[in-house]
Amino acid sequence: MTANLQNVLSTGTGFAAAGSLMHALVPQAEYLCFYDARRTCLWSSTGSDDLEVDGDVAALPPQVFREARSSGDLLRRTLPSGRRAALLFLQGKERQARGALVLVFGASAGDAPPLLPDQLENVLLPAAQILGEGLRLERKVREEHGRLREAEQELKLVYQVDEKIHGTSRSHASLAELVGQSGRFLGIAYSVLLLPSKRIRISATHSSWKAVNRKVLDKYLIGTLFPKMHGQTSPVIFEVPAVAGSDNIADHGYQTMVCPVTDRLGNVEGILAQLGRVNDEPFRLSHTRFMSHIVRKAEYVIEQSFDAMTGLTNRAGFEAQLSESMQALSDDDDAHQIIYFDLDNVQLVNDTFGHQAGDKVITRFAQILEQHLPGNAVATRLTGDDLAILLAHSTLDDALQLTTEIR
């Protein structure tokens, strides 16, 4: 026989209430317990395990739970000790098996339970239906509480990020904070912000992926996934397939969330990618919503730190870079060089050909700087026609050589 329950919870205090009521309805039973469809005991009326009943239920084929869906089914068992057991199978919505209520009777009860199958149904089914609805509501409340806790944690992190971003002028530090905090919140193996046009690469790596070649991952992101983000306005989740025969943890297959980073005109200029969750769980809608907010913050920092016309860092961004670079000096012999450029006659170009022509001169010179920049250099547009380069960990001869090439 199958009791057609709407819902039965797999955990919670509702089982104790349900079991107590059913024990009162069938006092002949010496023991009651609930098992889920995986044949795991969820609750017992004695509060302790009954290894004999556990073993008997565990020995049942899985299809017994799946196939016991038609009215009139009652599974009766004789346990090795001589006790008798009756399994009343429970259903949820859409006739899906949810588990079984097991009633155990003493050996003196004879070859059959004291109550006939139809009596069991008449006694237990109405109560089970009422209790099932109560348990369903209890589960729904717990699920809502879980979602509220997750949303509260998300908002708390967002507020923390806002405070740190608006409380500092150090652009690279702010971006690193965004990358690191978002990766830790989502439990990410490898988080990276890539903006090729601005020479920005900021990453955070979980300890489990420390041995992974991140340059290969970055090349894959820029060469394969970045082109797919053009025209996108929200995060996109990609499935990265496993590589057969590889022992590399990054080749075992994982999800990647790629978030487009746009400029003021809405053009995708980079990506913030979250590769692989450490617990292997898939990304959820709440995660994409969270990352959409993080990317907006990253775009704000970038907008505040870079010159819109040339794409170089602006004065505020350059000062932030100077502050960070000063702390990176290793000893008294280590040094950075600053190269300053003042373009001649830009005002004459403006007066003769218009400001658009003057802007083209400045933009073209910025492109020349970008073409000559080594990996340890950052270029900036300080004001209208004043530009500079920070050449980190270098000598005066290095700076003179670079300056001669650009001139």
Side-chain angles (χ1 to χ4, degrees), residues 114-280:
L115 294 179
L116 297 176
D118 58 340
Q119 291 176 309
L120 282 174
E121 182 176 11
N122 292 335
V123 171
L124 294 180
L125 183 56
Q129 288 173 328
I130 296 173
L131 289 169
E133 179 62 17
L135 294 173
R136 183 189 70 82
L137 294 175
E138 181 183 322
R139 178 182 63 182
K140 189 172 182 179
V141 169
R142 284 205 308 272
E143 290 174 348
E144 290 298 328
H145 283 169
R147 282 191 284 267
L148 285 174
R149 284 194 298 269
E150 182 178 339
E152 183 180 3
Q153 292 174 348
E154 179 182 328
L155 285 173
K156 185 177 180 180
L157 178 58
V158 167
Y159 288 140
Q160 290 175 348
V161 168
D162 280 351
E163 290 177 359
K164 290 184 178 181
I165 287 177
H166 294 290
T168 178
S169 62
R170 299 172 62 185
S171 60
H172 282 69
S174 297
L175 292 174
E177 187 76 25
L178 286 169
V179 174
Q181 288 275 26
S182 62
R184 284 189 291 273
F185 179 74
L186 297 178
I188 300 300
Y190 179 57
S191 307
V192 62
L193 174 66
L194 297 170
L195 285 89
S197 62
K198 291 181 170 57
R199 299 162 59 89
I200 290 179
R201 178 199 173 276
I202 299 174
S203 66
T205 309
H206 187 266
S207 58
S208 61
W209 275 37
K210 287 296 184 183
V212 174
N213 189 330
R214 271 91 77 183
K215 289 185 178 179
V216 172
L217 294 178
D218 293 348
K219 184 177 180 181
Y220 170 75
L221 288 169
I222 291 299
T224 303
L225 299 187
F226 179 51
K228 298 180 180 180
M229 298 306 297
H230 291 293
Q232 297 290 339
T233 58
S234 57
V236 178
I237 296 175
F238 297 94
E239 296 286 345
V240 179
V243 178
S246 175
D247 294 330
N248 190 334
I249 190 172
D251 291 336
H252 293 176
Y254 52 87
Q255 280 191 337
T256 293
M257 183 191 299
V258 181
C259 311
V261 180
T262 59
D263 59 19
R264 292 181 180 179
L265 300 178
N267 301 312
V268 178
E269 62 175 350
I271 55 174
L272 174 52
Q274 305 284 13
L275 283 73
R277 302 195 70 202
V278 176
N279 59 12
D280 292 328

Side-chain angles (χ1 to χ4, degrees), residues 361-384:
V361 171
I362 296 172
T363 301
R364 177 61 186 135
F365 184 66
Q367 293 171 348
I368 293 174
L369 293 186
E370 282 284 345
Q371 292 167 3
H372 286 79
L373 279 185
N376 62 332
V378 176
T380 180
R381 182 190 179 198
L382 297 172
T383 59

Side-chain angles (χ1 to χ4, degrees), residues 23-100:
H23 202 295
L25 293 173
V26 189
Q28 301 93 330
E30 67 174 26
Y31 176 75
L32 291 90
C33 48
F34 288 93
Y35 287 82
D36 64 12
R38 294 174 295 181
R39 297 165 294 167
T40 300
C41 185
L42 305 175
W43 175 89
S44 70
S45 58
T46 63
S48 60
D49 294 334
D50 189 315
L51 299 180
E52 185 179 43
V53 177
D54 286 347
D56 186 74
V57 174
L60 293 173
Q63 60 266 28
V64 170
F65 281 76
R66 293 195 300 266
E67 295 173 358
R69 297 180 181 180
S70 59
S71 178
D73 289 345
L74 175 68
L75 182 63
R76 287 178 286 184
R77 306 279 292 174
T78 299
L79 303 176
S81 65
R83 292 185 298 169
R84 304 291 175 171
L87 278 71
L88 180 66
F89 291 96
L90 309 177
Q91 285 183 349
K93 292 182 177 181
E94 299 179 358
R95 301 182 64 81
Q96 293 179 351
R98 300 299 296 270

